[in-house]
Amino acid sequence: MAGPVLATAAYLALITALANASGIAYLLFPELGALGSVVFSDPRGSWARSPLLLALTPFLTALPGVLITRSLPYGPLAVFLDVVVCLLVIGALRSPIVPALSAGVLPLALGITSWQYPLAILAGTGGLALLVILRPKLAMGWRGALGPKPLGDPAGLMSPDAPIAFPGSTQAPGERSGQPSLAAPAAGPGRVQTSAGTSLRTWLPPLVIFLAGGLVLVEVLGSHLVLYPPLMVIAYEMLAQPEHCPWHGRVGGVLTVTGGAAVAGLLLMQTLGVVPLACLLAVLATALLLHLTRLKCPPAYGLALLPFVIPAPPQAYPLLTLAGTAWLLLLVELHRARERRREARQRHP
């Protein structure tokens, strides 16, 4: 997996350099780390196979995010409205790009009111989409120069055999035109789900409770960072798609990775500044934490990169984000226990 990690780190370093050169700080969209890590490591996944949605979904959720931030003060109405509108946009597009939820919440969390923000998001996600589209040509170039397996690409990152799907395509990962898939795709971000997700009435109430409790913690701790944007992605995946969420049930691993990524990102930003090397190292540090814990949780990259876009991030940043993560995990475990008791009553009335 070294190839995809290095590709993600290099892309974030490039985006950081462009952000510094242009003066547009929000080119460095934190969820680019999650998106890049998945599309580079899984070219047959639904994220990589949907380049148009990969580019547009975060842009289309960023627009209402800015509008709500400009129109309403931070509070229950703004947060709930923001999350609901983002989920409606993702659902209307039938988009697999769940990190777009973070793009919509980020303006509210950081007080971003500039219409430059959605365009900056589009530039970053559009760059990823362009790399996905050009992947087959790049792969052929590598193969022509270096033989059947490109150097530094042992996982087949640049394989031209991975099909690209556009909105409306029903082709499943692993299928070629006219050929059936021989196996169901693995679960996890960027993969097409093979069964229906949890029903709305099952996951929506705990999501509402999570947001309400998170807002209480925001008031108690005095920071919007308790409900940090990638946490919305983590929450949605755990509550709405528990069967496909690779970090579901890994309480210790999630706390370790998210807390460690937050510490690494903050220290690197404070030590080196908002520079390409610091962002590159933040991605590598997060990848190392994920490897050591054997956890697949792409939103953790957002925690490491978020300090690079927060104006003067507080020293308590890791503790604030850890409080939000702990609250979510507690709620999810309580929800799981309740669902198990309900299922047991149905089996043995």
Side-chain angles (χ1 to χ4, degrees):
M1 295 299 291
V5 170
L6 290 175
T8 304
Y11 185 72
L12 266 297
L14 174 62
I15 290 294
T16 306
L18 292 175
N20 290 339
S22 65
I24 304 174
Y26 299 111
L27 280 173
L28 184 56
F29 172 43
E31 287 288 359
L32 284 176
L35 292 169
S37 70
V38 173
V39 299
F40 289 140
S41 64
D42 189 6
R44 289 177 173 82
S46 58
W47 292 6
R49 294 177 59 250
S50 306
L52 187 59
L53 290 175
L54 176 65
L56 289 181
T57 312
F59 167 72
L60 293 175
T61 56
L63 288 171
V66 171
L67 179 61
I68 291 170
T69 304
R70 293 169 67 97
S71 305
L72 296 171
Y74 188 95
L77 177 59
V79 171
F80 278 94
L81 182 60
D82 202 347
V83 172
V84 168
V85 170
C86 289
L87 289 176
L88 288 175
V89 170
I90 294 169
L93 294 172
R94 301 182 66 184
S95 174
I97 313 299
V98 178
L101 183 57
S102 180
V105 176
L106 186 63
L108 195 58
L110 301 187
I112 302 170
T113 57
S114 172
W115 291 112
Q116 195 177 61
Y117 168 77
L119 296 175
I121 297 296
L122 182 60
T125 57
L128 274 179
L130 183 61
L131 289 176
V132 168
I133 293 170
L134 293 177
R135 182 182 65 237
K137 292 183 179 180
L138 294 173
M140 286 188 289
W142 275 102
R143 289 187 175 186
L146 301 173
K149 285 190 177 182
L151 184 64
D153 186 31
L157 169 64
M158 302 305 298
S159 172
D161 299 326
I164 292 176
F166 292 90
S169 172
T170 57
Q171 186 180 14
E175 292 181 354
R176 299 183 189 178
S177 178
Q179 295 181 342
S181 175
L182 299 179
R191 278 290 182 179
V192 172
Q193 297 162 357
T194 55
S195 64
T198 307
S199 66
L200 184 66
R201 64 181 180 181
T202 300
W203 65 263
L204 187 58
L207 181 63
V208 171
I209 295 171
F210 159 68
L211 291 174
L215 286 166
V216 172
L217 285 175
V218 166
E219 289 297 318
V220 171
L221 299 177
S223 175
H224 300 170
L225 293 174
V226 173
L227 286 178
Y228 59 94
L231 185 61
M232 303 299 177
V233 181
I234 297 173
Y236 176 81
E237 294 280 5
M238 295 188 77
L239 293 171
Q241 300 292 346
E243 295 180 1
H244 306 281
C245 179
W247 60 86
H248 196 268
R250 297 286 307 276
V251 174
V254 172
L255 287 173
T256 299
V257 168
T258 55
V263 170
L266 180 65
L267 290 178
L268 286 166
M269 192 285 299
Q270 291 179 334
T271 303
L272 300 176
V274 183
V275 296
L277 177 60
C279 285
L280 184 146
L281 292 176
V283 171
L284 296 181
T286 305
L288 178 61
L289 285 168
L290 291 169
H291 175 73
L292 292 176
T293 55
R294 297 185 178 182
L295 186 70
K296 185 176 182 180
C297 185
Y301 289 99
L303 271 159
L305 295 169
L306 192 56
F308 292 88
V309 298
I310 300 173
Q315 292 290 340
Y317 168 73
L319 295 177
L320 293 168
T321 58
L322 199 60
T325 306
W327 160 237
L328 170 63
L329 294 175
L330 173 62
L331 178 66
V332 169
E333 290 304 308
L334 293 174
H335 177 62
R336 288 178 66 193
R338 179 178 177 276
E339 288 298 302
R340 285 195 295 266
R341 289 195 299 269
R342 183 179 62 83
E343 292 171 2
R345 286 196 300 269
Q346 290 176 346
R347 287 195 299 266
H348 307 286

